[in-house]
């Protein structure tokens, strides 16, 4: 980790290793940024986890599938009051596996390829499904996860943020560029402002490995975790293209 940090010219880093459900190593080094008065990275430091946030959104979508609010192979248009022509032929499965074929540019959404015939990693499927499940549950992704999971486990270092605090690590692109704070005004869970400590991020992974169980408590229904982690890619996708569970 120290070697990677040097090669990346990172301001700071954290490493948290678990084995068989137990913590075996914690390591923290460096600072929250290259600014002179920056905080040291420590156990309570929280990192913006960027695209790894998709695993949190995915779990809420898995709940919606489990609760039969969504069906994988049903057309997206069935769930929309007003449909954009680019969504024609696109199913929930396509959106969930980056095979929807919709691109996003300066003039909005456009069709890149026929749904299910290719793969392209972008945020169209993530954003579309995130807002769809929030409408279905009548609440935000962040409040859903807070109530059903984070509060159940007494997690206090995982959440979407719109205000700076000493625990939040900056986003560093380059030593010579101003660090970004990673915040967003909207904390509904659909944006890239999710901050997590290394230890709670590790426990998030462990929660999936243990199929939603912590000790003798089933925090998440096992079937929900299976829906999120099982390969859901359309069967006809060419074999040389990536396969996905929920995102």
């Amino acid at each position: 980790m120290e070697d990677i940090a040097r090669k990346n010219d990172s301001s700071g880093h954290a490493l948290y290793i678990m084995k068989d459900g137990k913590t075996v190593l914690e390591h923290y080094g460096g600072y929250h940024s290259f600014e002179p008065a920056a905080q040291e990275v420590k156990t309570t430091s929280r990192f913006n986890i960027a695209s790894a946030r998709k695993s949190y959104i995915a779990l809420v979508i898995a709940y919606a599938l489990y609760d039969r609010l969504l069906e994988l192979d049903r057309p997206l248009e069935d769930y929309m009051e007003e449909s954009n022509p680019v969504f024609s032929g696109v199913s929930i499965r396509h959106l969930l596996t980056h095979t929807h074929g919709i691109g996003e540019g300066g003039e909005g959404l456009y069709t890149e390829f026929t749904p299910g015939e290719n793969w392209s990693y972008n945020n169209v499927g993530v954003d579309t499904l995130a807002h769809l499940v929030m409408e279905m549950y009548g609440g935000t992704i962040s409040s859903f996860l807070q109530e059903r999971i984070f509060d159940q486990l007494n997690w206090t270092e995982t959440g979407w943020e719109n205000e700076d605090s000493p625990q939040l690590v900056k986003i560093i692109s380059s030593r010579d560029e101003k660090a970004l704070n990673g915040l967003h005004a909207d904390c509904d869970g659909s944006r890239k402002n999710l901050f997590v400590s290394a230890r709670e991020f590790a426990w998030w992974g462990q929660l999936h490995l243990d199929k939603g169980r912590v000790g003798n408590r089933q925090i998440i229904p096992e079937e929900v975790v299976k829906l999120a982690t099982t390969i859901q890619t359309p069967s006809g996708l060419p074999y040389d293209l990536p396969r996905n569970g929920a995102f």
Side-chain angles (χ1 to χ4, degrees), residues 79-193:
Y79 300 99
M80 305 177 75
E81 291 184 9
E82 295 183 17
S83 180
N84 187 319
V86 298
F87 289 124
S88 179
V90 174
S91 69
I92 300 302
R93 186 185 299 275
H94 294 141
L95 291 171
L96 203 57
T97 59
H98 303 296
T99 58
H100 48 76
I102 303 169
E104 187 171 17
E107 297 183 4
L109 302 178
Y110 61 92
T111 300
E112 275 190 320
F113 55 81
T114 302
E117 293 187 1
N118 207 332
W119 183 94
S120 180
Y121 183 88
N122 64 42
N123 285 322
V124 173
V126 181
D127 294 342
T128 302
L129 285 178
H131 288 94
L132 183 60
V133 295
M134 284 194 288
E135 286 180 16
M136 289 178 162
Y137 282 115
T140 65
I141 286 169
S142 53
S143 61
F144 184 102
L145 291 171
Q146 189 71 46
E147 180 181 338
R148 298 210 186 189
I149 301 173
F150 305 158
D151 285 348
Q152 302 298 317
L153 298 173
N154 297 317
W155 286 358
T156 59
E157 298 161 357
T158 299
W160 284 262
E161 302 295 342
N162 58 11
E163 293 184 5
D164 207 355
S165 76
Q167 289 75 40
L168 304 186
V169 180
K170 304 295 184 185
I171 300 173
I172 310 294
S173 176
S174 165
R175 181 185 290 267
D176 301 322
E177 295 180 20
K178 182 176 174 59
L180 303 176
N181 59 31
L183 304 173
H184 194 282
D186 198 338
C187 290
D188 64 8
S190 67
R191 307 290 183 169
K192 299 178 183 177
N193 53 331

Side-chain angles (χ1 to χ4, degrees), residues 1-72:
M1 180 60 74
E2 295 281 1
D3 186 47
I4 291 169
R6 281 191 293 271
K7 289 177 178 176
N8 284 346
D9 196 23
S10 303
S11 70
H13 53 276
L15 177 65
Y16 196 103
I17 298 176
M18 298 181 70
K19 177 172 168 39
D20 300 328
K22 296 180 180 178
T23 301
V24 295
L25 184 145
E26 277 186 87
H27 173 74
Y28 302 91
Y31 297 85
H32 284 199
S33 73
F34 289 116
E35 296 166 2
Q39 301 271 340
E40 286 189 43
V41 174
K42 50 190 177 183
T43 57
T44 55
S45 295
R46 296 170 58 200
F47 295 79
N48 184 300
I49 60 170
S51 283
R53 73 189 175 95
K54 292 180 175 71
S55 67
Y56 294 77
I57 298 172
L59 198 70
V60 181
I61 295 165
Y63 264 105
L65 291 166
Y66 176 77
D67 290 337
R68 301 190 183 280
L69 298 177
L70 288 175
E71 294 178 30
L72 276 172

Side-chain angles (χ1 to χ4, degrees), residues 173-237:
S173 176
S174 165
R175 181 185 290 267
D176 301 322
E177 295 180 20
K178 182 176 174 59
L180 303 176
N181 59 31
L183 304 173
H184 194 282
D186 198 338
C187 290
D188 64 8
S190 67
R191 307 290 183 169
K192 299 178 183 177
N193 53 331
L194 176 58
F195 287 80
V196 185
S197 67
R199 56 187 173 191
E200 287 192 3
F201 200 23
W203 278 103
W204 176 251
Q206 188 67 44
L207 189 60
H208 285 71
L209 280 174
D210 292 337
K211 297 181 175 60
R213 194 172 186 83
V214 177
N216 60 359
R217 299 168 61 201
Q218 191 71 42
I219 303 296
I220 306 168
E222 184 173 339
E223 185 59 29
V224 171
V225 180
K226 286 182 179 178
L227 284 165
T229 56
T230 301
I231 295 297
Q232 305 289 7
T233 297
S235 58
L237 192 74

